[in-house]
Amino acid sequence: GDDDDDDDEANIMSILITTDNHIGYLENDPIRGNDSFMTFEEILLLAQEENVDFILLGGDLFHENKPSRNTLHNTIKLLRNYCMGDRPCSVQVLSDPKQNFPSNMGGTVNYLDPNFNIGMPIFTIHGNHDDPASDGLSAMDLLSGINLVNYFGRVKEIDNITVSPVLLQKGQTKLALFGLGAVRDERLHRTFNNKQVQMLRPEEDQDEWFNMFVLHQNRCKHGPTNYIPEVFLDDFLDLVLWGHEHECRIQPEQSTNGFEVIQPGSSIATSLAEGESVRKHVGILRIKKRSYALKTIPLRTVRPFYMQDIVLSEEGLLPSRPDDVVQVLADRVNELIAKCDEEHGNDEIVMKPLIRLRVEYSGGFQMTNIQRFGQQFVERVANPKDLLQFYRRRASHVPGQRGGIPEPDSH
Amino acid sequence: GDDDDDDDEANIMSILITTDNHIGYLENDPIRGNDSFMTFEEILLLAQEENVDFILLGGDLFHENKPSRNTLHNTIKLLRNYCMGDRPCSVQVLSDPKQNFPSNMGGTVNYLDPNFNIGMPIFTIHGNHDDPASDGLSAMDLLSGINLVNYFGRVKEIDNITVSPVLLQKGQTKLALFGLGAVRDERLHRTFNNKQVQMLRPEEDQDEWFNMFVLHQNRCKHGPTNYIPEVFLDDFLDLVLWGHEHECRIQPEQSTNGFEVIQPGSSIATSLAEGESVRKHVGILRIKKRSYALKTIPLRTVRPFYMQDIVLSEEGLLPSRPDDVVQVLADRVNELIAKCDEEHGNDEIVMKPLIRLRVEYSGGFQMTNIQRFGQQFVERVANPKDLLQFYRRRASHVPGQRGGIPEPDSH
Ligand SMILES: [Mn+2]
Ligand SMILES: [Mn+2]
Ligand SMILES: [Mn+2]
Ligand SMILES: [Mn+2]
């Protein structure tokens, strides 16, 4: 009945989870300049519509370490519009806010600062894009300095890490929220190997806490120590929110170490790589005591992105007939545009798609002039200047790695 | 009796006036790096102690057009500490806040935004150091974006200017506050000459308004049109607050045009010029109906600055004996340090002084090595690297201009 539902809601902590929003990405691009702001606004609106208790960000909120004045100004505007107001927040903070959020100048969680009316709290760690710089400050310090976010998970010493959780309670649900802002993967890998990462698990009523860890590191193995293996993470954890990886793998995945991993992925494609072409989502996490449920929501403002591989030597083409090559490539692009029209032509917001053809051209083929090729698509794609990417197959294949396909940029 | 005093206070609008605080000036200097922050904090504290209704700034709050993250962070901290809180503000805004403060995102004067608890309002124009840049934004837009200042006086069109005043009322006192952020002097001079500057004087009850104008332009004549003559300004004005000029001339000066001019001067010396060596002050303006009184307060945290001129050929020195020259210069510096000890040795905050000797060296003298000269004073002055400034007398004297003494940098 209704009473039960009310009781339930009072005991359920609901959290919008998202990461790698990369606000300001390509802000000066005439076509794509507004993408990051629009999608971040969609996410803030979803948080309101879903009536969550708070938003949890996994780092890389900003694309640039020193966001431009325009980016800062737009972000402040969005946060003021969506995160301020009279909406009550019924989550209690049981840990010491001064320790959890040292850069919150008020010494409290932001929604308890008497000088601000915060209606939708944000909790965030920093990513590698918005990490503390040589001035000792990050863009997160600015946002927490103006009380618009609760910035946690910054460590003082990379070689000896103690993670104090933010302890949150709503009704009968208790969440221990551990956070670790981005540090260099190799360094952190070593610190884990040296058993110098200590998670300060709450001592009392250990069985009552839902333990969640937010981090922003490589999850995929980029080299022997250039990632964080899941087995490094403590097995008392219930759930890990993995930031930094841009591919949306939002469905919880069981780790061998007992916990589950949610990798929301970025909310904007910052490279035209395969992982970024997966449909982008945010999650609504509903935690009740020691269990949780996840609702996933596809984002509607994300620019469609289609990518395809083509091996010229397998298409019946001749190196001596470059015009035929260009024609085949153009046909493929047109097919992808047609596919986009079909899938997204009736969207509320219709956007020119990102298209990427990866062209393997070994066998005596020449590279096509990429810029000239794109000119015919100027009106129909968002990235006419880099539609094509040429690469050659590597001679020897390393197991578990794709041929010579270039790695995406740092995400 | 007490009742009368209470009545009085309810009808008196009290305003702390200051300008050209140049926050962030030399922030990386090991000796002087904190000066601008310290003095701005002193000013904010004075505003509280004097219990003013608001603070009025005349531009150049920041030294850099894009203040560093450190400067922004420190400024936000100061503004949160001193300008937020439950202190009530009893000044009404009668004009349209959306028109007066277009970059206040809340659409109100900052202390009426329901999402912020503003205890000490700041009203400000921009200066030439913190004017809107090619991104269309200024540092003032960031501060008003986070609701910490009320930014007014930005014009859309320099060739055709309409100044809409902020209309403020407290009890029986009505203040029409006109503001004009810094624009290029030559352009503004021309616009005035073309009669294209219109001050929108309130139409009703004209005799009841105290009319004040805040601007940030050259007051001294730097060239035929590179300044704003006082006679350009409307004679209905009662008081002009003149920013940009760094010399403290805080005692009101009668203009031929009827109004009085207060030039508070900068709160920090950004050049070692004569005008900057005048003792620095802020003012407490108390307006009651059509009259006002000014209390001036010397700032206690400003680094002492002594400057002196010396003409080598008048000191009985010989060009052939450079060591004697160095000795005489060192003696002068020592005298100025001794004078500082005498005048400031018992200050609450004892600071190494700024010292500047201007050395006229015509008559065959060589310039002394400035850096080497300064080494002997490293422990005793704040500017060992530029104690000395050498110049030669100009052959022909232009009336009204000093000899070859260099002009100070843009302020
Ligand atoms: Mn990242
Ligand atoms: Mn990222
Ligand atoms: Mn100036
Ligand atoms: Mn100035």
Side-chain angles (χ1 to χ4, degrees):
Chain A
D2 278 352
D3 279 2
D4 285 355
D5 285 356
D6 284 356
D7 274 1
D8 261 18
E9 284 307 317
N11 293 316
I12 292 173
M13 208 182 286
S14 67
I15 309 168
L16 185 146
I17 54 173
T18 181
T19 187
D20 293 80
N21 311 105
H22 284 265
I23 300 178
Y25 178 66
L26 289 187
E27 64 181 313
N28 296 317
D29 185 291
I31 299 173
R32 302 160 73 182
N34 204 33
D35 288 11
S36 66
F37 302 106
M38 193 163 57
T39 298
F40 190 60
E41 181 163 13
E42 180 187 3
I43 292 167
L44 294 173
L45 186 60
L46 280 171
Q48 285 193 344
E49 289 174 353
E50 296 287 330
N51 199 27
V52 296
D53 291 308
F54 59 88
I55 297 170
L56 178 59
L57 304 177
D60 285 359
L61 175 62
F62 291 110
H63 186 69
E64 298 290 344
N65 188 274
K66 297 199 173 168
S68 73
R69 188 147 62 196
N70 177 56
T71 291
L72 273 180
H73 197 255
N74 279 339
T75 306
I76 288 166
K77 196 185 283 183
L78 290 173
L79 294 176
R80 278 187 64 174
N81 280 345
Y82 290 93
C83 297
M84 299 196 85
D86 287 330
R87 198 174 162 279
C89 180
S90 47
V91 174
Q92 288 176 275
V93 180
L94 304 181
S95 48
D96 177 6
K98 292 189 184 66
Q99 186 176 17
N100 292 145
F101 319 114
S103 72
N104 280 31
M105 292 176 189
T108 66
V109 71
N110 74 335
Y111 55 91
L112 294 183
D113 188 311
N115 289 332
F116 295 83
N117 232 0
I118 300 295
M120 175 60 72
I122 293 178
F123 292 81
T124 187
I125 61 171
H126 66 256
N128 57 313
H129 280 258
D130 46 18
D131 62 338
S134 56
D135 58 4
L137 295 170
S138 75
M140 294 302 103
D141 288 300
L142 279 186
L143 289 190
S144 69
I146 59 179
N147 208 42
L148 291 174
V149 305
N150 300 293
Y151 170 32
F152 69 114
R154 178 171 176 183
V155 296
K156 285 174 191 137
E157 229 186 311
I158 299 180
D159 297 323
N160 188 354
I161 292 174
T162 302
V163 184
S164 291
V166 182
L167 300 179
L168 302 172
Q169 179 163 11
K170 182 181 176 189
Q172 294 171 21
T173 297
K174 291 174 167 186
L175 169 64
L177 179 60
F178 298 82
L180 181 59
V183 294
R184 281 174 50 90
D185 286 294
E186 293 89 344
R187 286 285 293 276
L188 183 59
H189 192 283
R190 192 173 63 196
T191 307
F192 269 114
N193 254 334
N194 294 342
K195 310 287 179 214
Q196 295 296 318
V197 180
Q198 202 195 346
M199 308 278 271
L200 286 185
R201 200 177 167 186
E203 285 176 9
E204 285 178 39
D205 309 320
Q206 286 211 336
D207 292 344
E208 294 182 11
W209 291 91
F210 186 85
N211 296 295
M212 177 154 66
F213 184 34
V214 192
L215 80 170
H216 188 101
Q217 302 291 152
N218 283 335
R219 187 178 173 202
C220 300
K221 189 169 180 168
H222 289 272
T225 66
N226 195 7
Y227 75 114
I228 304 302
E230 289 173 20
V231 294
F232 278 10
L233 306 184
D234 274 283
D235 58 8
F236 76 85
L237 292 170
D238 297 295
L239 186 60
V240 171
L241 185 75
W242 208 299
H244 183 61
E245 297 286 355
H246 279 204
E247 180 172 349
C248 178
R249 286 164 58 182
I250 197 156
Q251 289 305 334
E253 297 170 6
Q254 185 67 43
S255 148
T256 55
N257 246 17
F259 50 81
E260 294 188 322
V261 179
I262 293 177
Q263 178 179 307
S266 70
S267 60
I268 183 170
T270 63
S271 68
L272 301 181
E274 205 153 4
E276 298 266 28
S277 69
V278 178
R279 183 73 193 262
K280 300 202 176 287
H281 292 75
V282 297
I284 307 293
L285 197 62
R286 291 168 59 83
I287 305 173
K288 186 177 178 185
K289 297 189 188 176
R290 294 292 308 272
S291 64
Y292 79 93
L294 180 75
K295 170 175 151 187
T296 64
I297 303 178
L299 292 168
R300 296 169 301 105
T301 60
V302 176
R303 188 174 292 281
F305 170 32
Y306 293 90
M307 85 180 293
Q308 205 173 75
D309 289 317
I310 179 166
V311 179
L312 294 185
S313 60
E314 296 172 3
E315 297 288 323
L317 291 161
L318 294 173
S320 57
R321 303 192 56 157
D323 290 353
D324 290 357
V325 173
V326 167
Q327 189 55 53
V328 165
L329 296 178
D331 289 348
R332 289 296 173 88
V333 171
N334 280 315
E335 284 165 29
L336 292 174
I337 293 172
K339 188 177 173 196
C340 178
D341 281 346
E342 201 175 297
E343 294 182 358
H344 292 281
N346 296 319
D347 285 2
E348 292 150 84
I349 308 156
V350 175
M351 286 184 283
K352 294 179 194 168
L354 297 163
I355 303 276
R356 166 59 57 90
L357 272 191
R358 287 193 305 205
V359 187
E360 203 288 318
Y361 71 114
S362 58
F365 291 93
Q366 298 295 308
M367 277 198 281
T368 304
N369 181 315
I370 293 173
Q371 298 250 355
R372 196 187 311 142
F373 177 83
Q375 281 167 16
Q376 62 190 300
F377 298 104
V378 163
E379 297 299 324
R380 294 189 293 151
V381 306
N383 62 321
K385 289 180 182 167
D386 59 0
L387 281 170
L388 304 180
Q389 184 180 32
F390 286 87
Y391 71 100
R392 283 186 205 272
R393 198 169 23 230
R394 281 200 197 127
S396 65
H397 279 73
V398 180
Q401 292 203 339
R402 287 190 299 247
I405 293 176
E407 293 242 347
D409 301 333
S410 165
H411 27 250
Chain B
D2 278 352
D3 278 4
D4 285 355
D5 285 355
D6 285 357
D7 274 1
D8 260 18
E9 284 308 316
N11 293 316
I12 292 174
M13 208 182 288
S14 66
I15 310 168
L16 184 146
I17 54 173
T18 181
T19 188
D20 293 78
N21 310 105
H22 284 265
I23 300 178
Y25 177 66
L26 289 188
E27 63 180 314
N28 296 317
D29 185 291
I31 299 172
R32 301 160 72 182
N34 205 33
D35 288 11
S36 66
F37 302 105
M38 193 163 56
T39 299
F40 189 60
E41 182 163 13
E42 180 187 3
I43 292 167
L44 293 173
L45 186 60
L46 281 172
Q48 285 193 344
E49 289 174 354
E50 296 287 330
N51 199 26
V52 296
D53 291 308
F54 60 87
I55 297 170
L56 178 58
L57 304 177
D60 285 358
L61 175 61
F62 291 111
H63 185 70
E64 298 290 344
N65 188 274
K66 298 199 172 168
S68 74
R69 187 147 63 196
N70 176 57
T71 291
L72 273 180
H73 198 256
N74 279 339
T75 305
I76 288 166
K77 195 185 285 184
L78 290 173
L79 294 176
R80 277 187 66 176
N81 281 345
Y82 290 93
C83 297
M84 298 197 86
D86 287 330
R87 199 173 161 280
C89 180
S90 46
V91 173
Q92 287 177 276
V93 180
L94 304 181
S95 48
D96 177 5
K98 291 189 185 66
Q99 185 176 18
N100 291 145
F101 319 115
S103 72
N104 281 29
M105 293 177 187
T108 65
V109 72
N110 74 336
Y111 56 90
L112 293 183
D113 189 311
N115 289 332
F116 294 83
N117 232 0
I118 300 295
M120 175 61 72
I122 292 178
F123 293 81
T124 186
I125 62 171
H126 66 256
N128 57 314
H129 280 259
D130 46 17
D131 62 338
S134 56
D135 58 3
L137 295 170
S138 74
M140 294 301 104
D141 289 299
L142 279 186
L143 289 190
S144 68
I146 58 180
N147 207 43
L148 290 175
V149 305
N150 301 293
Y151 170 32
F152 69 113
R154 179 172 176 182
V155 296
K156 286 175 190 134
E157 229 186 313
I158 299 179
D159 298 323
N160 188 352
I161 292 174
T162 303
V163 184
S164 292
V166 183
L167 300 179
L168 301 172
Q169 179 163 12
K170 183 180 175 189
Q172 294 172 21
T173 297
K174 293 174 165 185
L175 169 64
L177 179 60
F178 298 81
L180 181 58
V183 295
R184 281 174 51 90
D185 286 293
E186 292 89 344
R187 286 287 291 279
L188 184 59
H189 193 281
R190 193 172 63 196
T191 308
F192 268 113
N193 254 335
N194 294 342
K195 309 285 178 215
Q196 295 297 318
V197 180
Q198 201 195 345
M199 308 278 272
L200 287 185
R201 201 176 167 186
E203 285 176 9
E204 284 178 39
D205 309 320
Q206 286 209 337
D207 292 344
E208 294 182 11
W209 291 92
F210 186 85
N211 296 296
M212 176 153 67
F213 184 33
V214 192
L215 80 170
H216 188 102
Q217 302 291 151
N218 283 335
R219 186 177 174 201
C220 299
K221 190 171 182 169
H222 290 273
T225 66
N226 195 7
Y227 76 114
I228 305 302
E230 288 173 21
V231 295
F232 278 11
L233 307 183
D234 274 284
D235 57 9
F236 77 85
L237 292 171
D238 297 293
L239 185 61
V240 171
L241 184 74
W242 208 299
H244 184 61
E245 297 285 355
H246 279 205
E247 180 173 349
C248 178
R249 286 164 57 181
I250 196 155
Q251 288 305 334
E253 295 169 7
Q254 185 68 42
S255 149
T256 55
N257 246 18
F259 49 80
E260 294 187 322
V261 179
I262 294 177
Q263 178 179 308
S266 70
S267 60
I268 183 170
T270 64
S271 67
L272 300 182
E274 205 153 2
E276 298 267 25
S277 69
V278 178
R279 183 73 192 262
K280 301 205 176 282
H281 292 75
V282 297
I284 308 292
L285 197 61
R286 290 167 61 83
I287 305 172
K288 186 175 178 184
K289 297 190 188 174
R290 293 294 307 273
S291 64
Y292 79 93
L294 180 74
K295 170 173 150 186
T296 65
I297 303 179
L299 291 169
R300 297 168 301 106
T301 59
V302 176
R303 189 173 293 281
F305 170 30
Y306 292 91
M307 86 180 290
Q308 205 173 76
D309 289 317
I310 178 167
V311 180
L312 294 185
S313 60
E314 297 172 1
E315 296 290 323
L317 290 162
L318 295 174
S320 57
R321 303 191 56 158
D323 290 354
D324 289 358
V325 172
V326 168
Q327 188 56 53
V328 164
L329 297 177
D331 288 348
R332 289 296 172 92
V333 172
N334 280 316
E335 282 164 30
L336 293 173
I337 293 172
K339 188 175 175 199
C340 177
D341 282 345
E342 200 176 297
E343 293 181 358
H344 292 282
N346 296 318
D347 285 2
E348 292 150 86
I349 307 156
V350 175
M351 286 184 284
K352 293 178 195 170
L354 297 163
I355 303 277
R356 167 58 57 91
L357 271 192
R358 287 195 304 205
V359 186
E360 204 285 318
Y361 71 113
S362 57
F365 290 93
Q366 298 295 306
M367 277 198 281
T368 304
N369 182 314
I370 293 172
Q371 298 251 353
R372 196 187 310 142
F373 178 82
Q375 280 167 17
Q376 61 190 302
F377 299 104
V378 162
E379 297 297 326
R380 293 190 291 151
V381 306
N383 62 323
K385 289 179 181 166
D386 59 0
L387 281 170
L388 304 180
Q389 185 180 30
F390 286 86
Y391 71 99
R392 283 187 205 271
R393 197 167 26 227
R394 281 198 198 130
S396 64
H397 279 75
V398 180
Q401 292 203 339
R402 286 191 300 247
I405 294 178
E407 292 242 347
D409 302 334
S410 163
H411 26 249

